[in-house]
Amino acid sequence: MSIVNAKEIMVEALKGKYAVGAFNVTDLLQFEAVIDAAVEKKAPVIVQTSVKPSKFLGTKMMVAIYRTLAESAPVPVCLHLDHCTEIDYCKKCADAGYTNIMIDASKQPYEENIRQTKEVVDYCHSVGNISVEGELGTVGGVEDQIKVAEDEAQLANPQQSVEFVERTGLDIFAPAIGTAHGVYKTKNPKIDWDRLATINKMINGNGIKTPLVVHGGTGLPEDYIKKLLAAGGAKFNVSTELKHTLIDAKYEYICAHRDEYDPGKIDVFVRDATRKAVMHWIDMLESAGKA
Ligand code: 13P
């Protein structure tokens, strides 16, 4: 069984003290590379699409690619919609066959965040085996259509996190802890892993209820990743790194073979570079051999 929702593989990750890598893709090539890496490493994996690429290719196409690749992969694969601020689009993706939906109402006032998140949770649970991710506090930087200035980013309050998860019925939860989307501006970003550990203890201390997500994976130093893993991070999101890998690999290949007109060779090179980047993440998250 390779088609899974995010919560089921994250519960196993939390029990086994590893984390599942969640990789944002924009096209078929990256999709294949992420799954190739997971198969090679025997790791559970989450493939994510931000709203723009999801709308560009269309939900039916995304889900067709997902099903085609995941059904023949001998590892669990989840298809996640990332940072969606539109309730109707969340519902559309759930209907189409995404298996994890992130409603991001984190920029809304607290009560409105609860209302919108709960509406998506109730809908997705009525459709089928779909888990839902929500966010409290705000992650700085730029991800697809979401932009938060670093000085406006707000960390999640632990007590409010418990209430948020209870009142919304969320399956997996992304508390803001200081990580940021995009490339970190300093070598040692200020990340509050103690806050993540506190929230994890308060929510999952007496039995796993709602596993936690770490956003802003690109550029996190490896020792930070290990601390966040130990603090209870069960899903790590990586987007910018794969965008850079795709563009840099294409550029490198074309520069080195300027007279060649064989797109398939560029694709092989890009796919291989992406597969290697994902395998490195799988090693850091200690999910190799866990599928
Ligand atoms: P990065 O772009 O910093 O890797 O963040 C990815 C992310 O959190 C997507 O939700």
Side-chain angles (χ1 to χ4, degrees), residues 182-235:
V183 177
Y184 288 96
K185 295 198 177 83
T186 62
K187 257 184 124 187
N188 301 303
K190 218 167 150 259
I191 311 290
D192 197 345
W193 35 76
D194 289 339
R195 185 178 297 259
L196 188 74
T198 303
I199 295 171
N200 189 46
K201 203 164 168 210
M202 288 168 80
I203 294 176
N204 298 310
N206 294 322
I208 299 170
K209 241 180 84 194
T210 312
L212 305 185
V213 183
V214 176
H215 282 252
T218 298
L220 279 178
E222 189 162 350
D223 56 324
Y224 284 35
I225 293 170
K226 297 297 179 192
K227 282 187 181 139
L228 292 166
L229 194 56
K235 168 180 184 261

Side-chain angles (χ1 to χ4, degrees), residues 24 48 82-83 143 180-182 214-218 237-241:
N24 289 61
Q48 316 197 130
D82 206 27
H83 287 288
E143 168 53 39
H181 294 130
V214 176
H215 282 252
T218 298
N237 288 7
V238 183
S239 175
T240 304
E241 182 179 329

